[in-house]
Amino acid sequence: MSDSSTPHRLTDLPTWQLSRAAARSHQVLHERLRIAGVTGYEFRVLAVVADLGPVSQTELGRAAELDRRDVAVTVRDLEARGMVQRTADPAHRQRKLVSLTTSGERTLDDLERVVAAVQREVFGTLDDAEMSTLLGYLSRLGG
């Protein structure tokens, strides 16, 4: 992964290597998502809603690690495209719950295949044991 034109004072830094790997994976992922017709935020919202079921926008933002404004815009866009719906929360009349529609479920199924292909492309040089080790390290570093 090191470039012979990059000085070793940089390539010897784990933060440098991690940043380069993150930039590459981010670029590949977002290009594939763009081709599939969604943004990274839209994928995150669909994935979190699928995992949590009907969820408030506050809970959704927390779980997807998105701020309130980004959640509101993303949910509005997905709702306009028929992928999510907002319904009244029976426990809190003023709060809306976000859930996937059938179209959103189908879209997420397609996106999961796209994301799996990205994982293979980005991490394909790692065997299963190396991938498990990497995930362990990244989880520890990510807090």
Side-chain angles (χ1 to χ4, degrees):
M1 185 161 179
S2 82
D3 178 349
S4 62
S5 67
T6 305
H8 75 88
R9 283 191 172 91
L10 294 177
T11 60
D12 289 351
L13 296 170
T15 52
W16 175 263
Q17 296 295 355
L18 185 60
S19 293
R20 289 184 68 208
R24 177 176 175 265
S25 65
H26 183 85
Q27 179 184 21
V28 171
L29 175 63
H30 286 273
E31 174 62 16
R32 297 308 182 282
L33 290 175
R34 183 191 65 73
I35 291 167
V38 298
T39 67
Y41 285 0
E42 290 169 341
F43 171 72
R44 284 160 67 178
V45 165
L46 291 171
V48 168
V49 172
D51 283 347
L52 299 181
V55 62
S56 73
Q57 287 187 198
T58 301
E59 295 168 287
L60 174 58
R62 202 173 302 123
E65 298 184 13
L66 295 171
D67 68 40
R68 282 178 43 182
R69 182 184 177 289
D70 291 332
V71 170
V73 169
T74 303
V75 168
R76 185 187 67 225
D77 292 348
L78 289 170
E79 187 175 39
R81 292 165 57 195
M83 292 184 211
V84 299
Q85 62 185 4
R86 287 184 276 193
T87 56
D89 182 344
H92 300 76
R93 293 193 329 219
Q94 293 181 337
R95 184 167 70 176
K96 299 282 190 180
L97 297 177
V98 180
S99 58
L100 291 182
T101 63
T102 302
S103 174
E105 290 170 356
R106 280 193 308 266
T107 298
L108 183 58
D109 286 344
D110 293 341
L111 293 174
E112 286 177 332
R113 285 188 286 280
V114 169
V115 171
V118 169
Q119 304 311 296
R120 287 188 301 275
E121 180 177 343
V122 172
F123 300 106
T125 61
L126 301 179
D127 64 30
D128 289 345
E130 291 169 324
M131 188 63 174
S132 179
T133 299
L134 176 63
L135 284 171
Y137 289 149
L138 292 173
S139 293
R140 282 177 46 199
L141 292 171

